[in-house]
Amino acid sequence: MKNMIRYALLIAIPILAFPAAAQADPLPSWKDTAPKKAIVAFVERVTKEGAPDFVPVAERIATFDNDGTLWAEQPMYFFLLFALDRVKELAPQHPEWKDKEPFASLLKGDVKGALAGGEHAILEIVMATHAGNTTEQFEKIMKNWISTAKHPTSKRLYTEMVYQPMLELLDYLRANGFKTFIVSGGGIEFMRPWTEKVYGIPPEQVIGSSIKVKYEMHEGTPVLVRLPELDFFDDKEGKPIAIHQQIGRRPIAAFGNSDGDLQMLQWTTGGGGARFALLVHHTDAKREWAYDRTSSIGRLDKALDEAHAKHWTVVDMKNDWKIIYPFEKR
Amino acid sequence: MKNMIRYALLIAIPILAFPAAAQADPLPSWKDTAPKKAIVAFVERVTKEGAPDFVPVAERIATFDNDGTLWAEQPMYFFLLFALDRVKELAPQHPEWKDKEPFASLLKGDVKGALAGGEHAILEIVMATHAGNTTEQFEKIMKNWISTAKHPTSKRLYTEMVYQPMLELLDYLRANGFKTFIVSGGGIEFMRPWTEKVYGIPPEQVIGSSIKVKYEMHEGTPVLVRLPELDFFDDKEGKPIAIHQQIGRRPIAAFGNSDGDLQMLQWTTGGGGARFALLVHHTDAKREWAYDRTSSIGRLDKALDEAHAKHWTVVDMKNDWKIIYPFEKR
């Protein structure tokens, strides 16, 4: 009982004691342009009790892509940069990689050559570097990398390269009763060790690609061993499928930045009642990167056309966001 | 802001206003025998701040099997009874079933003969009756069945055949900051339409077996079509695997009733710190059913041995529960 009171007060006191603070702009890094207005208007529509578009708290599901939507993805997906670091670390145990692509090129520093093999090469790198250990061992490796590795050009921690306006958006939605999920093409075990701290999204609300794991007893202790075999690829059609299998409710709001998110946005807006779809368009070559229809990373082409045709919200990073990264705040 | 205050008050007021009620026995249908004492002692250990076994709210994950743990599973798994009802409904569209097992036996009313084919026959029945429609169509069928179909011997709705002591346990854990999940061998889409109402467990916290679905556009509207192909079988080793892939945290408490739950209990108790594992032992032939080591439904054999060896909590339904079903309350 004491715990229950404490728990309730924990929630109630900050809200009741500081109404003025809560009334301040919940999206201070967003300029007062169309996207911010559309977000606020949508949230007000679905949270106003008795209004025709009111949605009960339990059904306020919002799904977010990660790469290019919540954090940067250039010069290449961060999970791939992690894999490249792992290739170097593991190379001494794999003398055969010297003569085997894509590893041979990678070890010579020729990343472009290594990735010339396309999706197949990427998959091979990911399997070789993500598998072969237990889930607990991998979590340790991941936590160590994410807290020490630096981005190749910004020299910042990867977790510093998250988008401040999107962090505010996550908070704003949660303050309005939304449950926020990540639905990413990246690996679940690559994300879960840090998403709670960085985004406020707990592991059980992180959906992503996965490799198979096997349950084994090691000297009386149960372990899950990671196998070099793809279990689920959470991209394109995979996103609505994973949302169905793992959440079991259709989101009322979805946020992405590339053609890989198109089906998630279609599925979200395909439901009845008020729905919201937003694309982050990377238009800021100076503060971030500018890329869209022809990019090999985060290509935004078909989804951009559909966004225009269906009047989805498109964020022009250069013109709609006051700042990009949290470290720009002072 | 108004919504936030309302939301906080909704949580705070009932707790603050009725402390006496909350201090009443949270498990009134449990006799004061060893299982109840073990549950309460565990919850107090992990919720007492500053104590050595304290577990933060975010990590208070509890997983529950469904069939035989939260509701009955005799004379056969309820999802199979649903499938049998569907076979009869769909038979006019499948003239070939008259000469094809297991359907031919089923349609003649010979359930035993139909199930003589074992897991393969069950799978065939489930595929034929669960697939071929969209997820939305299936949800409607499910909701209709669960709100009208009657159990063959009790003649009650299936949702009335849930265990009152377990409902109290779910509430008690949640009141103490636990997040409760179902991890069942039954199909996710069989459970999700009613688990929130009956158990207070929302769809996104229901893990189970699944069939594959395919994303398609039907005249401009996105649908997920259910395919007659198994996606994941959430039993035995599958349970810790699904827990890892979908929750991403190891539970600190797990509840089951059969050998199909053994690996989930091993995985749960294999973590560090305070852990709790409980088996419901069906010992009450009068009020429910009595079965264990030789039953073809919900066999409890190896898990019972391991529970004794490892001092897990075993509920003797006949002697530890005052009532079984909610309808016994007055």
Side-chain angles (χ1 to χ4, degrees):
Chain A
M1 184 54 209
K2 261 188 203 163
N3 275 318
M4 287 174 65
I5 294 182
R6 194 176 303 131
Y7 192 60
L9 289 178
L10 267 177
I11 295 169
I13 286 177
I15 298 173
L16 298 175
F18 308 106
Q23 271 167 347
D25 183 356
L27 301 171
S29 302
W30 294 70
K31 291 190 194 166
D32 288 323
T33 48
K36 178 175 178 170
K37 285 175 187 160
I39 292 166
V40 172
F42 170 75
V43 169
E44 288 179 353
R45 268 174 80 191
V46 298
T47 55
K48 193 174 174 179
E49 261 176 270
D53 288 327
F54 176 76
V55 176
V57 166
E59 291 166 26
R60 293 183 201 160
I61 304 286
T63 53
F64 289 81
D65 169 58
N66 185 38
D67 298 309
T69 299
L70 294 179
W71 73 355
E73 60 183 353
Q74 297 288 358
M76 69 183 81
Y77 301 119
F78 295 176
F79 71 83
L80 209 49
L81 291 167
F82 163 74
L84 301 189
D85 284 352
R86 286 291 291 161
V87 165
K88 284 176 218 156
E89 261 182 69
L90 294 170
Q93 298 160 46
H94 293 275
E96 76 280 10
W97 284 355
K98 269 190 300 187
D99 309 306
K100 195 185 166 193
E101 289 300 344
F103 306 99
S105 295
L106 268 187
L107 292 172
K108 283 181 220 143
D110 178 12
V111 175
K112 260 197 180 156
L115 300 184
E119 271 193 16
H120 178 76
I122 291 178
L123 199 64
E124 215 169 332
I125 294 165
V126 169
M127 290 307 157
T129 54
H130 281 59
N133 42 27
T134 68
T135 54
E136 289 193 328
Q137 288 165 340
F138 186 80
E139 192 180 337
K140 270 186 207 150
I141 292 166
M142 232 356 269
K143 279 188 173 164
N144 179 49
W145 185 83
I146 200 74
S147 60
T148 57
K150 300 286 171 66
H151 185 273
T153 59
S154 77
K155 307 297 176 194
R156 299 230 172 221
L157 290 174
Y158 290 100
T159 51
E160 292 181 274
M161 299 189 68
V162 297
Y163 303 137
Q164 176 62 26
M166 297 304 283
L167 298 183
E168 293 166 8
L169 176 56
L170 286 167
D171 282 340
Y172 174 58
L173 290 174
R174 287 190 292 252
N176 280 283
F178 280 77
K179 205 164 181 174
T180 52
F181 287 81
I182 288 174
V183 180
S184 166
I188 47 169
E189 292 179 89
F190 176 78
M191 298 182 282
R192 283 176 171 160
W194 52 270
T195 54
E196 185 152 32
K197 200 176 152 193
V198 176
Y199 301 138
I201 298 181
E204 62 269 26
Q205 286 160 228
V206 175
I207 295 171
S209 297
S210 56
I211 60 173
K212 295 206 168 165
V213 297
K214 194 173 171 226
Y215 182 80
E216 284 182 3
M217 278 287 176
H218 285 184
E219 296 173 357
T221 302
V223 293
L224 292 170
V225 177
R226 296 162 51 78
L227 306 177
E229 193 184 338
L230 189 67
D231 179 44
F232 187 78
F233 185 41
D234 188 35
D235 198 39
K236 297 190 173 70
E237 291 81 4
K239 292 200 175 195
I241 291 171
I243 286 169
H244 174 72
Q245 304 282 41
Q246 297 200 34
I247 305 179
R249 290 198 227 248
R250 199 192 289 236
I252 63 166
F255 304 83
N257 76 299
S258 78
D259 285 358
D261 303 312
L262 175 57
Q263 289 79 359
M264 174 168 77
L265 270 56
Q266 289 171 339
W267 178 242
T268 299
T269 55
R275 303 282 161 161
F276 191 77
L278 180 149
L279 283 172
V280 173
H281 189 184
H282 294 262
T283 52
D284 196 329
K286 201 175 157 202
R287 295 186 299 173
E288 209 240 358
W289 285 271
Y291 57 97
D292 47 31
R293 295 186 188 273
T294 59
S295 176
S296 63
I297 303 277
R299 175 171 302 177
L300 176 63
D301 183 32
K302 284 181 195 170
L304 193 57
D305 291 338
E306 194 152 330
H308 291 319
K310 294 186 171 170
H311 307 291
W312 295 342
T313 297
V314 179
V315 169
D316 174 345
M317 281 177 88
K318 188 174 171 183
N319 294 309
D320 293 326
W321 285 358
K322 290 183 195 167
I323 61 172
I324 307 284
Y325 301 116
F327 55 76
E328 295 170 52
K329 281 196 297 186
R330 296 185 308 132
Chain B
M1 184 56 210
K2 261 187 205 162
N3 275 319
M4 286 174 68
I5 293 181
R6 193 176 304 131
Y7 191 61
L9 290 178
L10 268 175
I11 295 170
I13 287 177
I15 297 173
L16 299 174
F18 307 106
Q23 271 167 348
D25 183 357
L27 301 170
S29 301
W30 292 71
K31 292 192 194 165
D32 288 323
T33 47
K36 178 175 180 171
K37 285 175 186 160
I39 291 166
V40 172
F42 170 75
V43 168
E44 288 179 353
R45 267 175 80 191
V46 298
T47 55
K48 193 173 174 180
E49 261 175 90
D53 287 328
F54 176 76
V55 175
V57 166
E59 291 165 28
R60 292 183 202 160
I61 304 287
T63 55
F64 289 80
D65 170 58
N66 185 38
D67 298 309
T69 299
L70 294 180
W71 73 355
E73 60 182 352
Q74 297 288 357
M76 69 183 82
Y77 300 119
F78 294 176
F79 71 84
L80 209 50
L81 292 167
F82 164 75
L84 300 187
D85 284 352
R86 287 290 291 160
V87 166
K88 283 176 219 154
E89 262 182 69
L90 293 171
Q93 298 161 46
H94 292 276
E96 78 279 10
W97 284 355
K98 269 190 298 186
D99 309 306
K100 195 184 165 194
E101 291 299 346
F103 306 99
S105 296
L106 268 188
L107 292 172
K108 283 181 221 143
D110 178 11
V111 176
K112 260 199 181 156
L115 300 184
E119 272 193 18
H120 179 76
I122 291 178
L123 198 64
E124 216 170 332
I125 294 165
V126 169
M127 290 306 157
T129 54
H130 281 58
N133 43 26
T134 69
T135 53
E136 289 192 330
Q137 288 165 341
F138 186 80
E139 192 179 335
K140 269 185 210 152
I141 293 166
M142 227 2 264
K143 278 186 175 165
N144 180 50
W145 185 84
I146 200 75
S147 59
T148 57
K150 299 286 171 67
H151 184 272
T153 60
S154 78
K155 308 296 176 196
R156 300 235 172 214
L157 291 175
Y158 290 100
T159 50
E160 292 181 275
M161 299 190 68
V162 297
Y163 303 135
Q164 176 63 26
M166 296 305 281
L167 298 182
E168 293 166 7
L169 176 56
L170 285 168
D171 282 340
Y172 174 58
L173 290 174
R174 287 191 291 253
N176 281 282
F178 280 76
K179 204 163 181 176
T180 52
F181 288 81
I182 289 175
V183 180
S184 166
I188 47 170
E189 293 178 90
F190 176 78
M191 298 182 281
R192 283 178 173 158
W194 53 270
T195 54
E196 186 153 32
K197 199 174 152 194
V198 177
Y199 301 139
I201 298 182
E204 63 268 27
Q205 286 160 226
V206 175
I207 296 171
S209 297
S210 56
I211 60 173
K212 295 205 169 169
V213 298
K214 193 174 171 228
Y215 182 81
E216 282 180 6
M217 276 288 174
H218 286 184
E219 297 173 358
T221 301
V223 294
L224 292 171
V225 177
R226 296 161 50 80
L227 306 177
E229 192 184 337
L230 189 68
D231 180 42
F232 186 79
F233 186 41
D234 189 34
D235 198 39
K236 298 192 171 72
E237 291 81 6
K239 293 201 175 194
I241 291 171
I243 286 169
H244 174 71
Q245 304 283 40
Q246 297 199 37
I247 306 178
R249 289 198 230 248
R250 199 192 290 235
I252 63 166
F255 304 83
N257 78 299
S258 79
D259 285 358
D261 303 312
L262 175 56
Q263 289 79 0
M264 175 168 77
L265 271 56
Q266 289 172 339
W267 178 242
T268 299
T269 54
R275 304 281 161 161
F276 191 77
L278 180 149
L279 283 171
V280 174
H281 189 184
H282 294 263
T283 52
D284 196 329
K286 201 176 159 202
R287 295 185 299 172
E288 208 240 0
W289 285 271
Y291 57 97
D292 48 30
R293 295 186 188 272
T294 59
S295 175
S296 64
I297 304 275
R299 175 171 302 176
L300 177 62
D301 183 31
K302 284 181 194 169
L304 193 57
D305 291 338
E306 195 152 331
H308 291 319
K310 293 186 171 172
H311 307 290
W312 294 342
T313 297
V314 178
V315 169
D316 174 345
M317 281 177 89
K318 188 174 171 183
N319 294 308
D320 293 325
W321 285 357
K322 291 182 195 167
I323 62 171
I324 307 283
Y325 302 115
F327 54 76
E328 296 170 52
K329 280 196 296 185
R330 296 187 306 134

mmCIF file of all heavy atoms in Angstrom, chain B residues 121-135:
data_model
loop_
_atom_site.group_PDB
_atom_site.id
_atom_site.type_symbol
_atom_site.label_atom_id
_atom_site.label_comp_id
_atom_site.label_asym_id
_atom_site.label_seq_id
_atom_site.Cartn_x
_atom_site.Cartn_y
_atom_site.Cartn_z
ATOM 1 N N ALA B 121 -1.964 -33.274 -36.700
ATOM 2 C CA ALA B 121 -3.402 -33.112 -36.928
ATOM 3 C C ALA B 121 -3.895 -31.792 -36.348
ATOM 4 O O ALA B 121 -4.681 -31.067 -36.968
ATOM 5 C CB ALA B 121 -4.161 -34.283 -36.303
ATOM 6 N N ILE B 122 -3.403 -31.466 -35.143
ATOM 7 C CA ILE B 122 -3.797 -30.211 -34.502
ATOM 8 C C ILE B 122 -3.391 -29.027 -35.366
ATOM 9 O O ILE B 122 -4.174 -28.107 -35.625
ATOM 10 C CB ILE B 122 -3.166 -30.103 -33.095
ATOM 11 C CG1 ILE B 122 -3.791 -31.142 -32.155
ATOM 12 C CG2 ILE B 122 -3.331 -28.697 -32.534
ATOM 13 C CD1 ILE B 122 -3.219 -31.163 -30.763
ATOM 14 N N LEU B 123 -2.146 -29.099 -35.844
ATOM 15 C CA LEU B 123 -1.630 -28.005 -36.672
ATOM 16 C C LEU B 123 -2.477 -27.838 -37.929
ATOM 17 O O LEU B 123 -2.812 -26.725 -38.340
ATOM 18 C CB LEU B 123 -0.171 -28.284 -37.051
ATOM 19 C CG LEU B 123 0.631 -27.077 -37.527
ATOM 20 C CD1 LEU B 123 0.774 -26.036 -36.414
ATOM 21 C CD2 LEU B 123 2.020 -27.508 -38.009
ATOM 22 N N GLU B 124 -2.857 -28.967 -38.527
ATOM 23 C CA GLU B 124 -3.645 -28.907 -39.747
ATOM 24 C C GLU B 124 -5.017 -28.275 -39.487
ATOM 25 O O GLU B 124 -5.502 -27.462 -40.276
ATOM 26 C CB GLU B 124 -3.810 -30.314 -40.334
ATOM 27 C CG GLU B 124 -3.797 -30.285 -41.850
ATOM 28 C CD GLU B 124 -3.715 -31.687 -42.438
ATOM 29 O OE1 GLU B 124 -3.160 -32.589 -41.773
ATOM 30 O OE2 GLU B 124 -4.224 -31.876 -43.553
ATOM 31 N N ILE B 125 -5.600 -28.626 -38.365
ATOM 32 C CA ILE B 125 -6.911 -28.055 -38.017
ATOM 33 C C ILE B 125 -6.781 -26.555 -37.762
ATOM 34 O O ILE B 125 -7.585 -25.751 -38.243
ATOM 35 C CB ILE B 125 -7.489 -28.757 -36.761
ATOM 36 C CG1 ILE B 125 -7.794 -30.221 -37.071
ATOM 37 C CG2 ILE B 125 -8.735 -28.034 -36.265
ATOM 38 C CD1 ILE B 125 -8.022 -31.078 -35.838
ATOM 39 N N VAL B 126 -5.735 -26.199 -37.012
ATOM 40 C CA VAL B 126 -5.550 -24.788 -36.679
ATOM 41 C C VAL B 126 -5.318 -23.971 -37.949
ATOM 42 O O VAL B 126 -5.920 -22.912 -38.147
ATOM 43 C CB VAL B 126 -4.392 -24.610 -35.679
ATOM 44 C CG1 VAL B 126 -4.022 -23.142 -35.528
ATOM 45 C CG2 VAL B 126 -4.788 -25.195 -34.316
ATOM 46 N N MET B 127 -4.466 -24.475 -38.840
ATOM 47 C CA MET B 127 -4.169 -23.744 -40.074
ATOM 48 C C MET B 127 -5.429 -23.561 -40.926
ATOM 49 O O MET B 127 -5.685 -22.486 -41.451
ATOM 50 C CB MET B 127 -3.108 -24.476 -40.904
ATOM 51 C CG MET B 127 -1.736 -24.457 -40.291
ATOM 52 S SD MET B 127 -1.182 -22.777 -39.922
ATOM 53 C CE MET B 127 0.015 -23.120 -38.656
ATOM 54 N N ALA B 128 -6.188 -24.632 -41.046
ATOM 55 C CA ALA B 128 -7.375 -24.582 -41.908
ATOM 56 C C ALA B 128 -8.431 -23.628 -41.362
ATOM 57 O O ALA B 128 -9.201 -23.044 -42.116
ATOM 58 C CB ALA B 128 -7.966 -25.981 -42.050
ATOM 59 N N THR B 129 -8.453 -23.460 -40.041
ATOM 60 C CA THR B 129 -9.522 -22.663 -39.440
ATOM 61 C C THR B 129 -9.070 -21.270 -39.043
ATOM 62 O O THR B 129 -9.905 -20.389 -38.832
ATOM 63 C CB THR B 129 -10.062 -23.370 -38.177
ATOM 64 O OG1 THR B 129 -8.963 -23.653 -37.301
ATOM 65 C CG2 THR B 129 -10.747 -24.661 -38.548
ATOM 66 N N HIS B 130 -7.772 -21.068 -38.901
ATOM 67 C CA HIS B 130 -7.278 -19.771 -38.443
ATOM 68 C C HIS B 130 -6.830 -18.889 -39.604
ATOM 69 O O HIS B 130 -6.682 -17.684 -39.431
ATOM 70 C CB HIS B 130 -6.080 -19.935 -37.501
ATOM 71 C CG HIS B 130 -6.452 -20.310 -36.108
ATOM 72 N ND1 HIS B 130 -7.167 -21.431 -35.800
ATOM 73 C CD2 HIS B 130 -6.215 -19.697 -34.920
ATOM 74 C CE1 HIS B 130 -7.331 -21.494 -34.484
ATOM 75 N NE2 HIS B 130 -6.770 -20.456 -33.940
ATOM 76 N N ALA B 131 -6.562 -19.470 -40.767
ATOM 77 C CA ALA B 131 -5.951 -18.691 -41.849
ATOM 78 C C ALA B 131 -6.952 -18.366 -42.949
ATOM 79 O O ALA B 131 -8.123 -18.736 -42.883
ATOM 80 C CB ALA B 131 -4.764 -19.455 -42.424
ATOM 81 N N GLY B 132 -6.477 -17.640 -43.957
ATOM 82 C CA GLY B 132 -7.286 -17.392 -45.147
ATOM 83 C C GLY B 132 -8.134 -16.144 -45.080
ATOM 84 O O GLY B 132 -8.861 -15.839 -46.018
ATOM 85 N N ASN B 133 -8.073 -15.422 -43.962
ATOM 86 C CA ASN B 133 -8.813 -14.164 -43.888
ATOM 87 C C ASN B 133 -7.858 -13.055 -43.449
ATOM 88 O O ASN B 133 -6.678 -13.297 -43.205
ATOM 89 C CB ASN B 133 -10.011 -14.304 -42.944
ATOM 90 C CG ASN B 133 -9.655 -15.067 -41.682
ATOM 91 O OD1 ASN B 133 -8.494 -15.085 -41.279
ATOM 92 N ND2 ASN B 133 -10.624 -15.687 -41.064
ATOM 93 N N THR B 134 -8.377 -11.835 -43.339
ATOM 94 C CA THR B 134 -7.517 -10.755 -42.865
ATOM 95 C C THR B 134 -7.537 -10.739 -41.343
ATOM 96 O O THR B 134 -8.414 -11.328 -40.702
ATOM 97 C CB THR B 134 -7.993 -9.388 -43.381
ATOM 98 O OG1 THR B 134 -9.238 -9.064 -42.748
ATOM 99 C CG2 THR B 134 -8.185 -9.402 -44.896
ATOM 100 N N THR B 135 -6.584 -10.029 -40.782
ATOM 101 C CA THR B 135 -6.508 -9.949 -39.321
ATOM 102 C C THR B 135 -7.767 -9.299 -38.747
ATOM 103 O O THR B 135 -8.203 -9.656 -37.662
ATOM 104 C CB THR B 135 -5.263 -9.150 -38.904
ATOM 105 O OG1 THR B 135 -5.267 -7.886 -39.576
ATOM 106 C CG2 THR B 135 -3.990 -9.887 -39.286
#
